[in-house]
Amino acid sequence: MSKIVIFIAGIAMLAGCAGNAKHPPDKATALTGSIQLSGAFALYPMAVKWAEEFRKLYPSVKIDVSGGGAGKGITDALSGVVDIGMVSREIYDEELNRGAYALAVVKDAVIPTINAANPELDAIRRTGLTRDKAARLWNREINTWGELLGTDSKLPVHVFTRSDACGAAETFALWLGRKQEHLKATAVFGDPGIASAVQKDRVGIGYNNIAYAYDQKTRRPFEGLTVIPLDVNENGRIDPEEDFYGTSETLIQAINEGRYPSPPARDLYLVTKDKPVKKEVIAFLAFVLSDGQKYTAETGYISLSSDKLKDEMSKLK
C-alpha cells in the first residue's frame, strides 16, 4: 500500500469529543500537531476514510496512514515509531504487558476467495466450504478440486496464504484451530497480494478481508474474484440462510445477525503505547468512536454496538 498524507486540523474540548466531534473548533483554540498510523491492511481503507472525513472538519493536524500488516502496526506503536497501530486481531498478553492500549473501533471478517473463472464454480457455490475442508486445504491434504467437492475432477487447487504477520491470517487460522505459522500454502505479501494472486490463477483459493474482496462502489466482488460460501451447518450444501455473499451489504447483515461465524469475523483495533496523551491523537480516536462510525457500512465494515462504543470511549477519559 502506498503511503498517504492527509492534512487535518485540531479539535475543541476533548471532554465533549463524543458528542461534539462534528462541530469545528474555534480557530483560536484549534489544535496542531501530527498523528502517524501504520499496520493492518484490514483497517487501512477504513482509516483512510476516517482521515478524509476528519479533514473536512479540522483542517490542520497532519495525519500519515500506512499499511504493512498487523504485526508491523503493533510493533511500530509499541516502539514509538507511530502514534497508533492498526491491528486486526486480538492483542496478545505480552503486548499488553509492554503497554499496548487497545480500542476496538469496528468489525470486519476474513472470507475465503477463489477465481471467478474457476471451472468448478457452480459446484463450489452449491457445496460451499466447511471448516474441516478448509483446515485440510491449508494443510496441503487436499490437492484437487475433486477431492474438495467429492467429484471426479482432477483440476489442481492452488492454495494461498499471507507471508506477512497479519491479523487476517491469524484470524483465519484461529477459525481452523491453528496459528498463522501453521498454514501451509504459497505465501503472498498483503491483502492486495492475495487478491491479485487469486485473480491471476483460475484454480487459486485464498482469503481476504471484506474491503479487499468487494468493490465498495458496486458492493459486489472485485472483477476476477468470487467469495466461497461457508457450509456452517456442514450438511454438504449451501442452504438459503447460508447464501448471503452476493454483495458486501448482505454479508455484513449476516455478520451482524451471527450467521457468519466469529472467527473469522472479528473486532479491529487501534492501539497506542500506554493510554494516549497527545490531544490530537485523543481527538482522532474520539471521532472514530463517534461520528466516524457512520462511514463504516459504505467502506465495507460493521459498526460496533452502542454499548461497545460507550465502553471504548470511556477508555479515553
Side-chain angles (χ1 to χ4, degrees):
M1 277 288 179
S2 61
K3 191 175 284 189
I4 68 165
V5 178
I6 303 175
F7 290 93
I8 302 182
I11 191 167
M13 296 290 293
L14 220 45
C17 55
N20 300 325
K22 58 186 176 183
H23 301 298
D26 185 280
K27 293 293 183 182
T29 60
L31 297 179
T32 58
S34 63
I35 306 169
Q36 294 80 39
L37 299 91
S38 75
F41 286 104
L43 255 177
Y44 184 88
M46 187 74 257
V48 168
K49 180 63 175 177
W50 281 329
E52 289 173 348
E53 295 303 325
F54 195 59
R55 177 188 185 186
K56 295 174 184 177
L57 300 174
Y58 311 109
S60 355
V61 174
K62 182 181 177 181
I63 297 187
D64 180 88
V65 185
S66 63
K72 175 175 171 55
I74 192 71
T75 300
D76 286 353
L78 293 181
S79 62
V81 174
V82 299
D83 297 294
I84 301 172
M86 301 181 291
V87 182
S88 52
R89 56 163 172 76
E90 294 302 312
I91 312 303
Y92 303 145
D93 287 342
E94 56 266 32
E95 294 164 346
L96 294 171
N97 292 336
R98 292 175 56 199
Y101 198 81
L103 299 177
V105 291
V106 75
K107 280 185 74 74
D108 187 22
V110 184
I111 48 180
T113 50
I114 60 171
N115 187 289
N118 190 302
E120 301 292 339
L121 186 59
D122 289 342
I124 294 165
R125 285 174 169 165
R126 286 195 305 269
T127 61
L129 184 67
T130 64
R131 182 168 59 177
D132 176 68
K133 287 183 177 179
R136 293 171 60 202
L137 269 172
W138 272 269
N139 199 39
R140 289 188 171 142
E141 295 175 19
I142 292 177
N143 299 301
T144 69
W145 285 98
E147 292 176 63
L148 181 67
L149 301 170
T151 68
D152 295 330
S153 174
K154 302 301 182 184
L155 196 69
V157 56
H158 298 162
V159 187
F160 296 96
T161 189
R162 291 279 288 274
S163 62
D164 50 313
C166 65
E170 194 66 37
T171 300
F172 193 73
L174 184 61
W175 176 53
L176 304 178
R178 298 178 183 171
K179 293 185 178 181
Q180 176 179 354
E181 56 267 31
H182 299 148
L183 298 179
K184 299 177 182 178
T186 300
V188 180
F189 180 82
D191 230 322
I194 281 199
S196 178
V198 173
Q199 285 171 317
K200 295 174 181 177
D201 188 339
R202 71 181 190 131
V203 294
I205 180 172
Y207 52 82
N208 286 102
N209 295 294
I210 293 174
Y212 293 89
Y214 290 87
D215 183 334
Q216 293 313 306
K217 292 181 179 179
T218 65
R219 307 295 192 212
R220 297 189 177 279
F222 282 110
E223 184 177 358
L225 282 182
T226 292
V227 180
I228 305 178
L230 296 187
D231 179 13
V232 178
N233 62 15
E234 300 186 350
N235 65 351
R237 64 179 182 273
I238 296 301
D239 297 319
E241 62 270 20
E242 296 174 315
D243 188 10
F244 43 72
Y245 299 87
T247 69
S248 58
E249 294 169 319
T250 53
L251 173 58
I252 287 170
Q253 181 180 349
I255 294 169
N256 274 324
E257 294 172 355
R259 289 185 287 136
Y260 190 84
S262 181
R266 46 41 193 301
D267 288 344
L268 305 180
Y269 297 89
L270 293 180
V271 180
T272 59
K273 175 71 164 67
D274 301 319
K275 189 173 181 178
V277 294
K278 287 177 65 173
K279 291 183 179 180
E280 61 268 36
V281 170
I282 301 172
F284 179 74
L285 292 172
F287 169 81
V288 164
L289 292 170
S290 54
D291 286 356
Q293 292 293 304
K294 67 186 178 185
Y295 304 108
T296 56
E298 67 182 76
T299 318
Y301 296 80
I302 303 102
S303 294
L304 300 180
S305 68
S306 57
D307 287 344
K308 185 69 174 285
L309 288 169
K310 183 178 179 180
D311 288 343
E312 298 305 298
M313 185 70 78
S314 69
K315 297 178 183 178
L316 295 176
K317 295 181 180 178

